[in-house]
Amino acid sequence: MDIEIKGKKILLIGNGFDLAHGLPTSYSFFLDFCDKIKETLLFPEFSNDDEWKKDIILNWDIDNSIKSKLYEWDKNTNNNLNKLFIEIYDNIKDNIWINYFLNIRYTLGKNWIDFESEISNIIQAFECIRDNIERRERIQQGEGSKVIKLEVVKGFVNISTEIEGLKELDLEDMYTNLKLFDVYIKKMTVDLDKLIRALEIYISEFINKIEVLQKNDDIKDINPDCVLSFNYSNTYERIYGQSNKVEYDYIHGKADKTNNVNTCNLVLGIDEYLEECDRDNKLEFLPFKKFYQRIFKSTDSSYMEWVDEIRQNSNYPYELYIFGHSLDKTDKDVLELLICNDNVQTKIYYHRKSNDDKKELGKLIRNLVRVIGSKELIRRTGGSHKTIEFIPQTLPEAD
């Protein structure tokens, strides 16, 4: 390990950190980005209509630097092909997942965890139906949960019937044909990788280029020794960490435009949902799971060394600052290892819209109960063993 963190500070950040700096990193912005590319590139009847394209892009409610770059890319496509532009096009075109999420995006929650939860719902439904096909069993009307899962699968498949490579297949047969069903699953796997690569280009080439003019009042004076980022962007590093010796762990990967779909190391997937007895045997959907992606993509795990240091130096006080992370149970393994140490003082910042707004605080408390349990949370938020404190984020000054 490069840094001796004995008694030092760790900053843990999630997507709310980027949003607090005005960066359009929610999944809805990424889907809008994909939609704009589809609108400007994938409709041949408008391929030469510059005014129509300009109207589509420049009227988009997003950071001006993103609109300008996308418009310039499109305007120069015929004269000077931009490799990243073409790569995004190839990854978005006929992508099962992008088509699906563009169709249902207004019915989802606002956070990336909602996006991942929807992927999980789809995958669990496909797993259930595949099991039935493999056993050559027909789903009966009285099997309520299976009927619902079949409807989920059919709803997903119906959106992709016109996709190149699938429209030639008789997808109605896949509900009794295991080989055909597995062909579709393979397409889902490949297309999730393509979605993730498109996201990597969006983050590295667009988000990381947006100028952030003002530092966050809650962050600027922390001066951490280590930063554990659940984000793909380099926001903290480029705004706060340029002159400081800070150790970074991008636990879900760090966006790099020089990658390709095979070398991209971003993790975007789901948590384990199978019962213990099935986890080592039912592997058809393994590539969708985060733990598999972390291993396969060799993402950083420096935080484990930090945890070892904390435990080996139990007489030294450490400080853990959490900003912009939902504390969802999907990250239970990491959060628990850091928070549940008596020599770690944890400060959790929560977003608010006004002085008396505690909506997000309530969500964080509920999520933390799922992570460490109610007894542990009660013990650590009061009395002589208090190690957890919830702090409201500083409200921006009124214009």
Side-chain angles (χ1 to χ4, degrees):
M1 191 170 87
D2 296 330
I3 293 178
E4 177 66 46
I5 67 165
K6 191 179 292 183
K8 299 293 180 67
K9 301 175 182 177
I10 301 172
L11 173 64
L12 185 156
I13 55 177
N15 188 53
F17 178 84
D18 280 357
L19 295 176
H21 289 82
L23 299 174
T25 53
S26 66
Y27 79 82
S28 60
F29 282 115
F30 170 63
L31 287 177
D32 282 345
F33 173 79
C34 295
D35 201 23
K36 294 298 175 284
I37 290 179
K38 284 170 69 72
E39 285 186 285
T40 56
L41 273 182
L42 302 186
F43 296 142
E45 62 268 30
F46 297 113
S47 60
N48 296 315
D49 192 338
D50 290 336
E51 284 303 313
W52 181 80
K53 290 183 178 182
K54 184 177 181 180
D55 185 62
I56 287 291
I57 294 173
L58 298 186
N59 287 332
W60 181 18
D61 184 19
I62 201 169
D63 188 88
N64 284 332
S65 67
I66 293 180
K67 293 190 288 188
S68 298
K69 177 174 283 191
L70 194 57
Y71 179 64
E72 287 302 313
W73 273 15
D74 179 73
K75 191 171 68 172
N76 296 322
T77 296
N78 293 329
N79 302 323
N80 181 25
L81 291 178
N82 185 299
K83 290 182 179 179
L84 289 178
F85 198 28
I86 299 306
E87 187 180 358
I88 290 175
Y89 171 87
D90 289 340
N91 287 324
I92 290 175
K93 183 183 179 183
D94 293 326
N95 188 299
I96 290 177
W97 290 104
I98 289 175
N99 279 15
Y100 177 73
F101 279 112
L102 285 174
N103 270 274
I104 66 148
R105 57 180 157 165
Y106 299 117
T107 66
L108 287 179
K110 296 187 295 184
N111 302 316
W112 276 104
I113 189 62
D114 302 306
F115 188 88
E116 292 175 340
S117 293
E118 184 62 21
I119 294 176
S120 184
N121 291 337
I122 297 296
I123 295 303
Q124 290 184 59
F126 269 83
E127 177 106 53
C128 174
I129 303 308
R130 189 187 186 283
D131 286 348
N132 255 68
I133 298 171
E134 193 169 34
R135 292 194 300 265
R136 298 185 179 182
E137 296 176 357
R138 287 191 174 275
I139 296 174
Q140 304 301 318
Q141 197 59 40
E143 298 179 283
S145 64
K146 288 186 179 181
V147 170
I148 292 172
K149 284 183 168 57
L150 179 60
E151 291 304 312
V152 169
V153 170
K154 286 186 174 182
F156 185 89
V157 171
N158 286 343
I159 289 174
S160 60
T161 51
E162 294 304 311
I163 284 180
E164 201 68 38
L166 292 177
K167 62 184 179 182
E168 298 84 3
L169 304 176
D170 189 351
L171 294 180
E172 278 299 317
D173 288 347
M174 65 182 277
Y175 302 108
T176 55
N177 185 327
L178 186 61
K179 185 176 180 180
L180 185 56
F181 200 84
D182 284 344
V183 166
Y184 194 90
I185 293 171
K186 177 63 176 176
K187 170 70 172 168
M188 292 170 70
T189 307
V190 169
D191 281 5
L192 182 63
D193 286 338
K194 288 183 174 183
L195 180 154
I196 295 171
R197 174 55 183 161
L199 175 60
E200 180 172 41
I201 297 172
Y202 174 69
I203 296 293
S204 59
E205 187 66 7
F206 291 85
I207 299 300
N208 287 350
K209 302 291 179 67
I210 295 175
E211 185 178 6
V212 176
L213 299 176
Q214 188 171 352
K215 292 185 177 181
N216 184 279
D217 288 337
D218 296 316
I219 297 295
K220 63 184 181 182
D221 295 324
I222 292 178
N223 297 317
D225 302 282
C226 305
V227 174
L228 177 57
S229 178
F230 284 79
N231 300 333
Y232 311 122
S233 63
N234 63 357
T235 306
Y236 183 90
E237 195 171 351
R238 69 186 176 96
I239 297 172
Y240 302 91
Q242 294 170 332
S243 61
N244 299 324
K245 189 179 180 184
V246 180
E247 184 173 358
Y248 296 92
D249 183 349
Y250 289 88
I251 190 170
H252 285 166
K254 184 179 181 181
D256 182 349
K257 67 179 182 181
T258 65
N259 283 329
N260 56 49
V261 72
N262 295 316
T263 60
C264 171
N265 76 334
L266 304 192
V267 171
L268 176 60
I270 64 178
D271 293 300
E272 184 59 81
Y273 55 83
L274 293 172
E275 297 294 332
E276 192 78 38
C277 58
D278 291 327
R279 292 179 183 178
D280 297 338
N281 302 311
K282 299 175 72 172
L283 307 178
E284 290 78 18
F285 297 90
L286 193 61
F288 294 94
K289 297 177 181 178
K290 284 183 179 179
F291 83 86
Y292 171 88
Q293 292 181 17
R294 288 188 186 122
I295 297 170
F296 186 80
K297 299 181 178 185
S298 301
T299 56
D300 199 353
S301 58
S302 297
Y303 78 93
M304 293 295 292
E305 297 177 24
W306 308 346
V307 171
D308 289 341
E309 284 282 335
I310 290 169
R311 291 178 174 178
Q312 290 167 13
N313 298 284
S314 57
N315 293 326
Y316 290 86
Y318 293 81
E319 296 175 42
L320 172 65
Y321 298 84
I322 299 177
F323 192 103
H325 192 285
S326 66
L327 305 182
D328 191 83
K329 64 180 180 180
T330 56
D331 296 318
K332 171 183 169 72
D333 53 341
V334 180
L335 295 169
E336 198 170 24
L337 284 173
L338 288 168
I339 293 173
C340 292
N341 295 285
D342 289 341
N343 58 331
V344 175
Q345 290 292 319
T346 301
K347 300 181 187 297
I348 302 170
Y349 290 87
Y350 65 90
H351 175 72
R352 57 180 179 157
K353 296 179 180 178
S354 62
N355 284 321
D356 57 355
D357 179 13
K358 292 188 175 183
K359 183 178 179 180
E360 291 302 315
L361 173 61
K363 290 181 181 178
L364 290 176
I365 293 172
R366 285 194 294 273
N367 286 348
L368 198 51
V369 168
R370 296 187 181 101
V371 170
I372 67 174
S374 57
K375 288 184 179 180
E376 188 75 4
L377 180 59
I378 291 169
R379 183 176 81 86
R380 292 190 175 277
T381 52
S384 59
H385 295 286
K386 182 176 180 178
T387 63
I388 297 175
E389 180 182 3
F390 291 93
I391 302 173
Q393 291 180 22
T394 301
L395 291 170
E397 294 183 5
D399 295 332

